[in-house]
């Protein structure tokens, strides 16, 4: 049987040589040739490249969020996001304007073109204040009374 297999394998090898040896000296088709003068760029679209790219992007996003949170903690001295929002609300609300003084300017000097439009007074944007944050109290901690340990009679 080993001789029959050898002859079959020899037959296959001979047939392959007959078919492929004629093609070996031929040139490589143009569509299979690499482009002249261009570098080969490794694709990052599929496979391991995509996984590494996704990990890098995720890591960068987490680093940005951590940096923002740590900045807010340093500014407000609190890790509570509600305190962060209160701090922003305090910064957004306008400070009271001085009624008079050496550095105050009349409103017509601030907007010279506004007095010529109509009415004689400049257009003042309406004041919009953000809604106040609700006061949040933590829920009451339930009291737990221990059960008596049963004793054997």
């Amino acid at each position: 049987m080993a001789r029959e297999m050898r002859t079959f394998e020899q037959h296959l090898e001979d047939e392959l040589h007959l078919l492929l040896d004629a093609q070996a000296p031929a040139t490589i088709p143009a569509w299979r040739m690499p482009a002249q003068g261009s570098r080969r760029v490794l694709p990052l679209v599929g496979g391991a490249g995509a996984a590494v790219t996704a990990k890098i992007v995720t890591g960068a996003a987490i680093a940005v969020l951590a940096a923002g949170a740590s900045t807010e903690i340093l500014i407000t001295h609190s890790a509570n996001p509600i305190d962060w929002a209160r701090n922003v609300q305090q910064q957004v609300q306008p400070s009271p304007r001085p009624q008079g003084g050496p550095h105050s300017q009349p409103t017509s000097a601030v907007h010279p073109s506004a007095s010529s439009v109509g009415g004689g007074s400049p257009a003042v944007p309406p004041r919009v204040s953000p809604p106040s944050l609700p006061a949040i109290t933590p829920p009451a901690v339930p009291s737990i009374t221990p059960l008596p340990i049963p004793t054997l009679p």
Side-chain angles (χ1 to χ4, degrees), residues 9-110:
E9 288 177 0
Q10 187 66 36
H11 172 70
L12 282 178
E13 189 173 339
D14 291 341
E15 289 295 321
L16 284 173
H17 277 291
L18 283 175
L19 291 172
L20 298 178
D21 286 346
Q23 300 293 329
T27 61
I28 299 173
W31 58 272
R32 294 287 295 174
M33 292 288 291
Q36 297 292 335
S38 68
R39 298 183 309 180
R40 180 175 175 180
V41 179
L42 295 175
L44 291 178
V45 176
V52 170
T53 302
K55 286 183 179 182
I56 289 172
V57 168
T58 304
I62 290 172
V64 167
L65 289 173
S70 62
T71 303
E72 287 296 328
I73 290 172
L74 286 175
I75 291 171
T76 61
H77 303 293
S78 172
N80 189 355
I82 294 174
D83 292 336
W84 304 349
R86 286 189 184 130
N87 188 24
V88 169
Q89 183 180 12
Q90 290 172 357
Q91 291 177 359
V92 168
Q93 288 179 347
S95 61
R97 294 183 182 174
Q99 295 298 326
H103 300 290
S104 64
Q105 297 177 348
T107 57
S108 62
V110 175

Side-chain angles (χ1 to χ4, degrees), residues 144-150:
I144 300 173
T145 57
L147 297 174
I149 298 175

